[in-house]
Amino acid sequence: MIELNPIYLKAIKAKKGSITMVAYKDKDSTITSTSQRTELQSQIWQIADSVRGAIDGWDFKQYVLGTLFYRFISENFASYMEEGDDSLNYATLSDDVITDELKDDTIKAKGYFIYPSQLFVNIAANANNNPNLNTDLANIFQEIESSATGYDSENNIKGLFADFDTTSNRLGNTVKDKNMRLAAVLKGVESLNFGDFHNNQIDLFGDAYEFLISNYAANAGKSGGEFFTPQSVSKLIAQLAMHKQTTVNKIYDPVAGSGSLLLQTKKHFDSHIIEDGFFGQEINHTTYNLARMNMFLHNVNYDKFHIALGNTLLDPQFKNEKPFDAIVSNPPYSIKWIGKSDPTLINDDRFAPAGVLAPDSKADFAFVLHCLNYLSSKGRAAIVCFPGIFYRGGAEQKIRQYLVDSNYIETVISLAPNLFFGTSIAVNILILSKHKNDTKTQFINASELYKKETNNNVLTDSHIEQIMQAFDNKADIEYFSKSVDHSIIAANDYNLSVSSYVGVKDTREAIDITKLNAELKTTVAKINKLRTAIDALIAEIEA
């Protein structure tokens, strides 16, 4: 039996809160270049595509993503346990050496516990020859989750593997079939060389994870696009919400989806001090689990993220945490909600100031007003919106009037079509602010900024930079951006469509009418001459 030395135990206890990631000792090549990252993503997709068989890819994604997550937390946990003793290989230890005190201290720091025998590396090594693989995995996942019971991390760990059902008939009708598919996924993920995660290379794993989600979303149609915001759009939204903020108290997404928007703020603004972490709410249980996994995959410790399950409009969480200095959101477009059918909602402090509720058939502005209510006096909210809400009448017009008259709308940006998975709609981004220094609203026409890639368009870094420069300086640029005074918007029935204020450049070819008439006259003469010749030829033949 291998024993843990006192120095190692002391080091473990002193490292509470640390999350440093290294790979297995026999995998020493580091993946850093774009080409290597592309190759890695391709390999992951091949695994997903080859093992799913007759199972629909959208349903099967959870097994691939769950296995990626299982490997990550295993390696992350082993790395944490090995810190302070370079000679230690946690995976080779016996479970018997783990003391209750060590387990307790580790859970307080990491949020969960994994015994050596439960590590991915040990389960994957014997996956092809384990007749109890599916039940062994189910027990391991249950024990990892239950290890957090009674600790501060319980809510962030509970149910993480709920959608990784190793006994589901979707894996096969027999235990043998189930184990065969599970083993294929385990061995495939085991074969991936992620290199050395030390020195901030952890994002390679997270990027691979998001790549897989985006590919499944692209193949899943609308249901995929509803919860995954493409990285190029996420990057723009993150920059808009965080613009010129040197510190933020916390970041919030009321419809968190897979967490991609929240994590983009972390990726792009690591230099910022995000004091109290990441907050989000998600109504779909499967996607809620994905968001929490995604936090771990991007090295956000359990005490720095708070993802809640539930309906944001009817059961909003984090009321005691508001206000937030940065809000990012991509709400579902024009979904139905209870609206005026619940008369108590008009008294809700989120909706009452506008004096009217968003239409029952179109909840878009309900999400906007929710974001406004949660926004701090120094912050910004950047929200992806369906373009129809900016020009339709009725309750939506009244809400626009409230927002404009209260001087909360800083900018409206129209994007190019086909940027999102599952929809070709050219969406808008609405930026809310409570600290404007004038009464103007900026409009930016970014509909021509895109690069065609595969089936979708993308925003390049230069496109994002162009938008951000216009957003920053608020200068009027012909055919691109314009700042409009409140009185003009009011006179235009509070229409906030970008096209109403930013003209579209006429790219049609200029035509010289005089030259065209001369060309037509010459052409007609040639036709008449040819017709005369043909008539003469016919007369000669008939004679």
Side-chain angles (χ1 to χ4, degrees), residues 94-323:
S94 166
D95 291 354
D96 295 336
V97 306
I98 306 300
T99 65
D100 290 342
E101 181 184 9
L102 175 61
K103 183 177 180 181
D104 179 66
D105 286 342
T106 305
I107 295 172
K108 288 176 181 177
K110 293 293 293 176
Y112 59 91
F113 197 89
I114 305 177
Y115 283 95
S117 66
Q118 298 173 333
L119 293 173
F120 173 88
V121 64
N122 290 326
I123 298 301
N126 193 44
N128 287 328
N129 304 309
N130 183 358
N132 302 313
L133 179 62
N134 68 325
T135 54
D136 284 351
L137 283 172
N139 291 332
I140 288 171
F141 297 156
Q142 193 277 327
E143 288 188 25
I144 293 174
E145 290 183 14
S146 63
S147 70
T149 301
Y151 291 85
D152 292 341
S153 59
E154 181 175 354
N155 289 336
N156 284 340
I157 305 296
K158 184 178 181 181
L160 267 179
F161 292 97
D163 295 301
F164 197 154
D165 186 357
T166 62
T167 62
S168 171
N169 285 335
R170 288 185 294 176
L171 288 168
N173 293 323
T174 67
V175 172
K176 183 178 180 180
D177 288 341
K178 292 179 175 68
N179 288 339
M180 179 181 68
R181 288 193 184 280
L182 288 169
V185 180
L186 287 167
K187 300 304 286 188
V189 171
E190 180 191 40
S191 69
L192 296 174
N193 185 356
F194 292 110
D196 188 348
F197 280 107
H198 203 49
N199 298 323
N200 297 320
Q201 290 303 312
I202 185 66
D203 264 354
L204 290 176
F205 207 127
D207 288 345
Y209 174 90
E210 287 193 7
F211 167 80
L212 188 53
I213 291 180
S214 67
N215 272 271
Y216 274 131
N219 286 280
K222 185 178 179 182
S223 61
E226 282 179 350
F227 83 81
F228 184 81
T229 306
Q231 284 205 25
S232 64
V233 181
S234 296
K235 186 173 183 178
L236 172 61
I237 293 170
Q239 292 192 38
L240 290 166
M242 301 280 284
H243 185 60
K244 287 188 175 179
Q245 297 203 68
T246 55
T247 63
V248 297
N249 61 352
K250 45 207 162 189
I251 300 170
Y252 172 63
D253 185 347
V255 283
S258 64
S260 59
L261 271 174
L262 287 171
L263 289 166
Q264 190 62 239
T265 61
K266 174 184 182 295
K267 184 180 296 185
H268 195 73
F269 293 94
D270 272 345
S271 60
H272 286 68
I273 299 174
I274 302 172
E275 297 169 349
D276 298 316
F278 305 83
F279 293 74
Q281 186 167 348
E282 173 55 37
I283 193 171
N284 180 280
H285 192 276
T286 296
T287 315
Y288 157 73
N289 285 337
L290 290 177
R292 292 189 296 159
M293 287 184 182
N294 217 355
M295 291 293 157
F296 282 110
L297 285 171
H298 280 80
N299 218 19
V300 181
N301 206 33
Y302 78 89
D303 58 341
K304 285 297 182 181
F305 75 85
H306 311 271
I307 307 295
L309 177 66
N311 188 319
T312 295
L313 296 182
L314 302 183
D315 184 26
Q317 303 298 304
F318 309 121
K319 293 179 180 179
N320 295 330
E321 296 291 341
K322 62 181 184 179

Side-chain angles (χ1 to χ4, degrees), residues 8-20 80 83-84 109-110:
Y8 167 61
L9 284 173
K10 183 178 179 180
I12 287 290
K13 294 176 183 178
K15 299 292 285 185
K16 291 182 181 180
S18 171
I19 306 182
T20 303
Y80 176 82
E83 283 191 39
K110 293 293 293 176

Side-chain angles (χ1 to χ4, degrees), residues 490-533:
N492 196 22
D493 294 327
Y494 294 93
N495 186 321
L496 293 175
S497 295
V498 174
S499 59
S500 295
Y501 305 99
V502 181
V504 178
K505 186 176 182 180
D506 189 350
T507 58
R508 293 174 298 179
E509 182 181 359
I511 299 175
D512 186 333
I513 299 299
T514 302
K515 182 179 178 182
L516 179 61
N517 284 335
E519 290 175 350
L520 286 173
K521 184 180 291 187
T522 301
T523 301
V524 170
K526 289 179 179 179
I527 292 173
N528 289 335
K529 184 177 180 181
L530 180 60
R531 180 177 292 121
T532 300

